[in-house]
């Protein structure tokens, strides 16, 4: 790494470790400001900066008792994570720094679970895992790079045909083990100009997210609601399950997210989707549908800790306080969504979190307050669709076990009034 490249790495890390905005947003903004950087430089800067975020617990421990500045973190990452020789760092360090790095190179890491699992104390304390080895396995899984998963739009092409095209064109692609629509690509090839993408045949979507569609089980002619549609990936999946029939509402509070959804919707060829901007979960647009909807998917706003393979900064941008705020919002959204479900209808509550406080606890409190709803075991729903995945009555996906993002989901059904 030359001095110019290192200066960029140091600057990017310095902005990222403020943790005042998403790391990928920091990187995008930095590359826009420095638009003359080549693809090789961008790759080196991004990889080094994200390596620091993934291993921040270890790097801070190695730097201590000195302040973990962006420069020190970057230098230690080069020596300990990249295996750089001190002679290679002559152009970007002074003699004092090289002496210090020589000591760091042989320093033993503290024997703590936080360092070994690369997870802050507050996260470890709130996980359902009580066995340190289970926490360690999870933490290590969250440090691995996430695969690139695609979902095939079955309105336009079968998965086998898409696989054939991709492999014939030099991609290394295989069917995902659980989702019947999923394709997993090796590496991170650029797809945004490939005809399968531009023509709406494939969408980028983690396999775990695809399984939420199976649990929702949308069918032809039904009325379905994606209550927190976001960027619309699951909306498009539900629309394909419905064969573009019936009526599918995509609600979200963000005008920007819904605007970003429009080109994806246009590519998909779906004609049954109705995006709706709402002010909050009790918006009048929602109340009009009370008791009328066959299936409601609530992919609730959450800490996102199940996505740490992609977003390692979240374990520092979130906190116990922010999770407590999210819990209030999650409970309110689930209660509002439940009002839409007709008798016999299905309600799916999901998050991309690993914390029981955002998952089981929310569902348990909801059921205590809504005795007219009951759990339908997720493993039974998946078995009916010939998916060989059994994590129990509630779906619990973990990166180190399933090679997906961390996901949680519960299927609920509204029972007839017995009074």
């Amino acid at each position: 790494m030359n001095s110019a490249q290192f200066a960029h790495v140091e600057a990017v890390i310095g902005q990222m470790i403020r943790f005042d905005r998403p790391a990928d947003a920091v990187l995008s903004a930095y590359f826009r400001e420095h638009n003359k950087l080549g693809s090789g430089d961008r790759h080196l800067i991004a990889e080094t900066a994200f390596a620091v975020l993934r291993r921040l617990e270890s790097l801070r421990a190695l730097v201590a008792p000195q302040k973990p500045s962006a420069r020190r973190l970057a230098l230690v990452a080069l020596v300990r994570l990249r295996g750089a020789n001190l002679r290679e760092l002559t152009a970007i360090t002074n003699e004092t720094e090289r002496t210090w790095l020589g000591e760091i190179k042989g320093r033993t890491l503290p024997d703590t679970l936080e360092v070994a699992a690369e997870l802050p104390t507050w996260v470890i304390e709130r996980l359902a895992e009580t066995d340190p080895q289970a926490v360690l396995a999870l933490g290590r899984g969250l440090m691995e790079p996430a695969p690139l998963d695609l979902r095939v739009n079955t309105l336009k092409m079968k998965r086998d045909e898409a696989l054939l095209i991709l492999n014939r064109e030099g991609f290394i692609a295989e069917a995902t083990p659980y989702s019947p629509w999923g394709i997993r690509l090796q590496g991170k090839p650029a797809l945004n100009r490939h005809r399968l993408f531009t023509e709406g045949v494939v969408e980028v979507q983690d396999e775990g997210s695809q399984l939420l569609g199976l649990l929702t089980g949308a069918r032809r002619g039904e009325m379905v609601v994606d209550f927190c549609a976001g960027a619309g990936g699951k909306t498009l999946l539900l629309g394909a399950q419905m064969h573009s029939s019936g009526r599918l509402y995509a609600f979200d509070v963000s005008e920007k997210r819904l605007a970003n959804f429009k080109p994806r919707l246009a590519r998909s060829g779906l004609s049954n989707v109705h995006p709706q901007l709402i002010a909050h979960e009790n918006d009048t647009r929602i109340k009009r549908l009370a008791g009328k909807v066959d299936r409601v998917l609530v992919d609730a706003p959450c800490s996102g800790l199940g996505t740490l393979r992609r977003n390692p900064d979240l374990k520092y941008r979130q906190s116990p306080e922010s999770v407590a705020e999210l819990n209030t919002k999650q409970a309110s959204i689930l209660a509002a969504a439940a009002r839409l479900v007709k008798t016999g209808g299905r309600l799916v509550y999901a998050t991309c979190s690993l914390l029981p406080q955002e998952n089981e606890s929310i569902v348990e409190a909801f059921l205590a307050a809504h005795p007219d709803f009951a759990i339908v075991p997720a493993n039974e729903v998946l078995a009916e669709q010939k998916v060989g995945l059994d994590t129990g009555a509630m779906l619990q996906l973990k990166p180190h076990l399933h090679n997906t993002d961390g996901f949680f989901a519960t299927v609920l059904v509204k029972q007839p009034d017995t009074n």
Side-chain angles (χ1 to χ4, degrees), residues 157-177:
M157 189 177 289
K158 292 183 178 179
R159 177 169 70 172
D160 287 349
E161 187 181 348
L163 273 168
L164 191 65
I165 291 170
L166 289 167
N167 281 308
R168 195 168 57 211
E169 295 185 9
F171 296 92
I172 302 174
E174 62 182 6
T176 50

Side-chain angles (χ1 to χ4, degrees), residues 200-310:
V201 176
V202 299
E203 281 280 344
V204 175
Q205 187 174 22
D206 184 81
E207 184 182 23
S209 177
Q210 295 180 38
L211 295 182
L212 300 186
L214 289 175
L215 294 180
T216 305
R219 296 174 181 170
R220 292 176 187 261
E222 290 184 330
M223 185 179 289
V224 179
V225 169
D226 187 352
F227 204 82
C228 306
K234 285 174 283 294
T235 307
L236 299 179
L237 188 162
L238 296 172
Q241 284 181 290
M242 298 166 73
H243 296 267
S244 200
S245 65
R247 199 165 183 87
L248 173 56
Y249 291 96
F251 291 131
D252 205 85
V253 295
S254 169
E255 189 171 2
K256 183 179 179 181
R257 284 196 292 264
L258 289 177
N260 291 338
F261 174 46
K262 286 182 179 178
R264 300 178 75 186
L265 179 57
R267 287 196 304 268
S268 74
L270 292 171
S271 58
N272 66 332
V273 179
H274 302 272
Q276 296 272 317
L277 179 67
I278 57 174
H280 45 71
E281 64 268 23
N282 296 306
D283 193 294
T284 53
R285 291 180 180 85
I286 295 171
K287 290 182 177 180
R288 293 182 194 134
L289 298 176
K292 298 177 181 178
V293 181
D294 295 285
R295 298 169 198 268
V296 179
L297 171 60
V298 178
D299 185 10
C302 69
S303 65
L305 292 175
T307 69
L308 288 180
R309 296 184 304 173
R310 307 170 197 277

Side-chain angles (χ1 to χ4, degrees), residues 64-367:
Q66 296 195 59
K67 181 182 177 183
S69 65
R71 181 173 181 82
R72 290 188 182 116
L73 291 170
L75 288 172
V76 175
L78 292 177
V79 170
R80 290 290 294 241
L81 305 183
R82 302 287 184 187
N85 188 295
L86 295 181
R87 287 192 298 273
E88 298 174 301
L89 304 181
T90 303
I92 58 176
T93 57
N94 56 42
E95 190 174 339
T96 302
E97 286 175 325
R98 287 193 295 278
T99 301
W100 175 69
L101 286 170
E103 296 170 1
I104 292 287
K105 203 167 178 113
R107 187 172 292 178
T108 303
L109 282 166
D111 184 19
T112 68
L113 189 54
E114 287 82 354
V115 168
E118 293 290 351
L119 292 171
T121 303
W122 78 268
V123 173
I124 293 173
E125 288 175 348
R126 282 160 182 78
L127 290 172
E129 309 288 1
T130 54
D131 177 7
Q133 289 305 311
V135 174
L136 184 57
L138 175 61
R140 286 177 173 166
L142 290 167
M143 284 184 264
E144 293 296 317
L148 178 58
D149 290 350
L150 309 177
R151 179 186 58 81
V152 177
N153 179 358
T154 51
L155 293 181
K156 297 197 171 190
M157 189 177 289
K158 292 183 178 179
R159 177 169 70 172
D160 287 349
E161 187 181 348
L163 273 168
L164 191 65
I165 291 170
L166 289 167
N167 281 308
R168 195 168 57 211
E169 295 185 9
F171 296 92
I172 302 174
E174 62 182 6
T176 50
Y178 308 120
S179 168
W181 317 293
I183 290 177
R184 182 158 293 155
L185 295 180
Q186 188 171 310
K188 297 289 168 63
L191 279 171
N192 57 339
R193 294 183 182 177
H194 193 281
R195 64 186 177 91
L196 291 184
F197 182 81
T198 59
E199 294 172 7
V201 176
V202 299
E203 281 280 344
V204 175
Q205 187 174 22
D206 184 81
E207 184 182 23
S209 177
Q210 295 180 38
L211 295 182
L212 300 186
L214 289 175
L215 294 180
T216 305
R219 296 174 181 170
R220 292 176 187 261
E222 290 184 330
M223 185 179 289
V224 179
V225 169
D226 187 352
F227 204 82
C228 306
K234 285 174 283 294
T235 307
L236 299 179
L237 188 162
L238 296 172
Q241 284 181 290
M242 298 166 73
H243 296 267
S244 200
S245 65
R247 199 165 183 87
L248 173 56
Y249 291 96
F251 291 131
D252 205 85
V253 295
S254 169
E255 189 171 2
K256 183 179 179 181
R257 284 196 292 264
L258 289 177
N260 291 338
F261 174 46
K262 286 182 179 178
R264 300 178 75 186
L265 179 57
R267 287 196 304 268
S268 74
L270 292 171
S271 58
N272 66 332
V273 179
H274 302 272
Q276 296 272 317
L277 179 67
I278 57 174
H280 45 71
E281 64 268 23
N282 296 306
D283 193 294
T284 53
R285 291 180 180 85
I286 295 171
K287 290 182 177 180
R288 293 182 194 134
L289 298 176
K292 298 177 181 178
V293 181
D294 295 285
R295 298 169 198 268
V296 179
L297 171 60
V298 178
D299 185 10
C302 69
S303 65
L305 292 175
T307 69
L308 288 180
R309 296 184 304 173
R310 307 170 197 277
N311 307 296
D313 54 312
L314 281 174
K315 56 191 170 185
Y316 301 106
R317 290 179 49 235
Q318 297 288 4
S319 66
E321 292 74 26
S322 66
V323 170
E325 288 178 14
L326 284 165
N327 293 158
T328 302
K329 186 180 294 186
Q330 288 155 353
S332 179
I333 288 172
L334 183 56
R339 290 194 280 273
L340 305 187
V341 184
K342 70 182 188 182
T343 300
R346 183 176 290 187
L347 173 63
V348 176
Y349 174 77
T351 75
C352 53
S353 173
L354 298 162
L355 304 184
Q357 296 82 5
E358 299 184 84
N359 298 335
E360 295 93 334
S361 296
I362 297 296
V363 172
E364 289 163 7
F366 171 81
L367 289 172

